[in-house]
Amino acid sequence: MTVNSSKSHVAQEQTRAVPLLIVSPACSLILAVALFLTLRPLIPSHIARHVGPDGVGYSSTALIMAVIFAAAILPFLIGGALALGFFRDGHWFPTQKAVVVCFVSLGYGVIGVALATILSTVGLDPAEVSGDSVAMGLLGFLLLFTAAACTYAALLPRAKPDPLV
């Protein structure tokens, strides 16, 4: 492969990856926020934020969701920036691909926490709120992280073989 053909191939891979690394995470986050804002009247004003040996800790639902949504942004940004840098520098090897997949999947996992928490508290009377939403949030994290990791591992461009050192 010539240098120009190699650069062209890298540019094509990068162009195909941009929707996966920028558009999909942004749309997912926007849809999750929209779902929360739509269902907010049906969710108690305070929900569990922590369950531990000292009991259940409660906080404002809006504050918890704002923190969760803000926390999802960072891994998306890091994963996207790393991927674009790896593409640009020609370092798209299995380790680099795995790092990108894990960061982006972490962002989806955090969105999973939000979605599961929202869905597990819709329609609850404020007196019925318990720590169950925390467990559902963890399950949501596990399910969305796993689904995103499998999806991104399959859809992102194939990693180059590791060079022999």
Side-chain angles (χ1 to χ4, degrees):
M1 216 188 277
T2 66
V3 173
N4 285 340
S5 144
S6 176
K7 285 183 181 179
S8 169
H9 180 67
V10 169
Q12 287 175 345
E13 286 182 336
Q14 190 173 349
T15 302
R16 283 191 314 228
V18 165
L20 290 171
L21 299 169
I22 297 171
V23 177
S24 295
C27 288
S28 299
L29 192 56
I30 290 168
L31 289 172
V33 170
L35 178 69
F36 170 67
L37 293 175
T38 302
L39 296 176
R40 188 170 179 197
L42 304 174
I43 300 172
S45 62
H46 284 76
I47 59 173
R49 66 169 153 62
H50 168 77
V51 176
D54 55 338
V56 179
Y58 297 93
S59 288
S60 161
T61 301
L63 177 63
I64 291 172
M65 288 298 132
V67 169
I68 291 172
F69 292 135
I73 295 170
L74 190 59
F76 285 144
L77 290 176
I78 292 171
L82 285 173
L84 296 177
F86 292 148
F87 281 128
R88 183 190 64 240
D89 297 338
H91 292 285
W92 192 251
F93 300 109
T95 301
Q96 286 78 9
K97 182 176 178 177
V99 168
V100 170
V101 167
C102 286
F103 268 106
V104 175
S105 297
L106 177 61
Y108 282 106
V110 174
I111 288 177
V113 171
L115 294 176
T117 301
I118 291 166
L119 296 175
S120 67
T121 56
V122 168
L124 283 182
D125 185 78
E128 295 175 347
V129 174
S130 69
D132 293 347
S133 64
V134 174
M136 294 306 293
L138 293 174
L139 179 61
F141 176 88
L142 178 66
L143 294 175
L144 236 53
F145 178 89
T146 303
C150 293
T151 301
Y152 274 78
L155 294 180
L156 285 175
R158 186 175 177 89
K160 298 188 300 187
D162 276 325
L164 297 176
V165 195

